[in-house]
Amino acid sequence: MCETQKTAYTKDGDALYSVMIGGPVKDFDCLPLELAKKTLRAGRYAVFTHRGTLGNLYKTYQYIFGTWLQTTREELDDREDFEVYEHEILSFDDPDNEVKIFIPIK
């Protein structure tokens, strides 16, 4: 999950933001203090699947926000979007990569 509320942009046009990597837990009682705690709010999500090199992941996001969102009747909800990597990523450029992208909708 990208935490983009404090996004900064460099002179080169790069975006600087923090990323949270996590997994489901039953509760936070046994988590080490070094780990951050985050609970995603429940709701509806539009789910998209990106397949192929992660170098082209931005193209999937361009489709979601540049095409799909402009043509759908769905409305974005003010919750976190996130990605799920269901299979091990062996290489950034692996054509078999698969990423599920969850976009919150009302």
Side-chain angles (χ1 to χ4, degrees):
M1 176 173 34
C2 293
E3 299 282 351
T4 58
Q5 293 174 343
K6 295 181 181 179
T7 300
Y9 296 92
T10 67
K11 293 178 187 177
D12 298 333
D14 291 332
L16 303 174
Y17 53 89
S18 63
V19 176
M20 180 175 277
I21 300 171
V25 295
K26 292 181 182 180
D27 58 54
F28 296 132
D29 296 340
C30 296
L31 289 182
L33 294 175
E34 298 83 18
L35 297 181
K37 301 168 187 170
K38 182 84 172 180
T39 301
L40 299 177
R41 292 180 293 157
R44 293 179 62 220
Y45 287 89
V47 182
F48 300 86
T49 302
H50 170 83
R51 291 184 178 90
T53 175
L54 298 180
N56 288 331
L57 186 60
Y58 77 94
K59 291 180 181 181
T60 302
Y61 278 97
Q62 283 179 334
Y63 167 78
I64 293 168
F65 291 105
T67 302
W68 176 79
L69 187 58
Q70 305 304 316
T71 59
T72 186
R73 293 181 183 204
E74 301 292 354
E75 186 178 342
L76 290 180
D77 198 359
D78 187 23
R79 292 179 286 122
E80 296 88 350
D81 59 282
F82 59 94
E83 299 170 359
V84 173
Y85 295 73
E86 295 178 332
H87 307 286
E88 181 180 2
I89 301 296
L90 299 176
S91 164
F92 186 82
D93 294 320
D94 189 342
D96 294 327
N97 288 336
E98 186 172 305
V99 180
K100 300 278 189 205
I101 302 169
F102 289 73
I103 304 295
I105 54 175
K106 292 183 180 181

